[in-house]
Amino acid sequence: MWNEENRAAFRELIAPMLQAEEVQAMRGISQHAEGISCYEHCVFVSYVSFVLARRLGLDCRAAARGGLLHDLYLCDWSKTDIGRFERLIVHPLMALQNAEKFGLNDLERDIIVKHMWPLTRALPRHRESFVVSLADKLCATAEMLHVYKAARVGQRLAFAPAAENA
């Protein structure tokens, strides 16, 4: 998974998007576990999605892009009256709206909107959407169980511009 071939191909594909102001803004939003930002989570999901899609012969470009943008909701939930459960339902639509500036295709839109399946109930239309949804759940679990830090994922993905070593 962490071989240099995967990392180089991923880096080439995703590096330009990491420079975007909106993507960088995710650094200031905390995610599933203390000390892990939304940015770090999304880069992790993007990489895992890329590798899984590549191994399965799927569209790894769309999986990486959708994975990176899936939580681009850019909202500090503590400053809203939106409850925890409602956030799970509304944030994919917020992320999609913010991600449209990246020139998404229909596959990438499906990935972003359906990444919370089965909570969102609408069945993903593409295999890549299932891959990103699975990667999101695996990565969130790894973060909450502190596997993210123990496995030095942040350091392994430190090729991302301005990435912090976790």
Side-chain angles (χ1 to χ4, degrees), residues 10-11 14-27 39 42-43 46 68 102 157 159-163:
F10 177 74
R11 178 177 35 245
I14 215 72
M17 293 177 70
L18 295 176
Q19 305 286 338
E21 184 179 326
E22 295 84 354
V23 173
Q24 287 295 312
M26 291 192 294
R27 289 180 178 281
Y39 174 88
C42 287
V43 171
S46 180
L68 181 66
F102 291 94
L157 295 177
F159 58 76

Side-chain angles (χ1 to χ4, degrees), residues 27-134:
R27 289 180 178 281
I29 300 169
S30 61
Q31 197 66 358
H32 302 109
E34 185 178 335
I36 299 174
S37 70
C38 186
Y39 174 88
E40 291 168 307
H41 168 71
C42 287
V43 171
F44 188 22
V45 170
S46 180
Y47 184 74
V48 171
S49 298
F50 172 81
V51 171
L52 290 173
R54 194 173 194 202
R55 286 191 179 170
L56 295 170
L58 303 176
D59 187 338
C60 59
R61 178 183 185 275
R65 286 172 48 92
L68 181 66
L69 302 173
H70 81 281
D71 277 346
L72 191 68
Y73 50 80
L74 303 177
C75 178
D76 181 352
W77 298 113
S78 68
K79 296 179 182 175
T80 72
D81 59 356
I82 299 173
R84 285 184 177 261
F85 183 76
E86 189 179 359
R87 288 178 214 168
L88 298 173
I89 305 302
V90 301
H91 85 269
L93 296 173
M94 294 168 69
L96 177 62
Q97 185 176 18
N98 291 329
E100 284 292 353
K101 81 163 264 189
F102 291 94
L104 304 175
N105 61 35
D106 288 339
L107 173 54
E108 293 161 343
R109 285 184 190 95
D110 192 64
I111 288 169
I112 294 167
V113 171
K114 311 260 179 80
H115 81 270
M116 288 303 294
W117 180 83
L119 289 177
T120 52
R121 294 192 183 177
L123 192 65
R125 291 188 348 227
H126 305 279
R127 291 175 291 177
E128 292 84 353
S129 300
F130 283 104
V131 165
V132 175
S133 181
L134 174 63

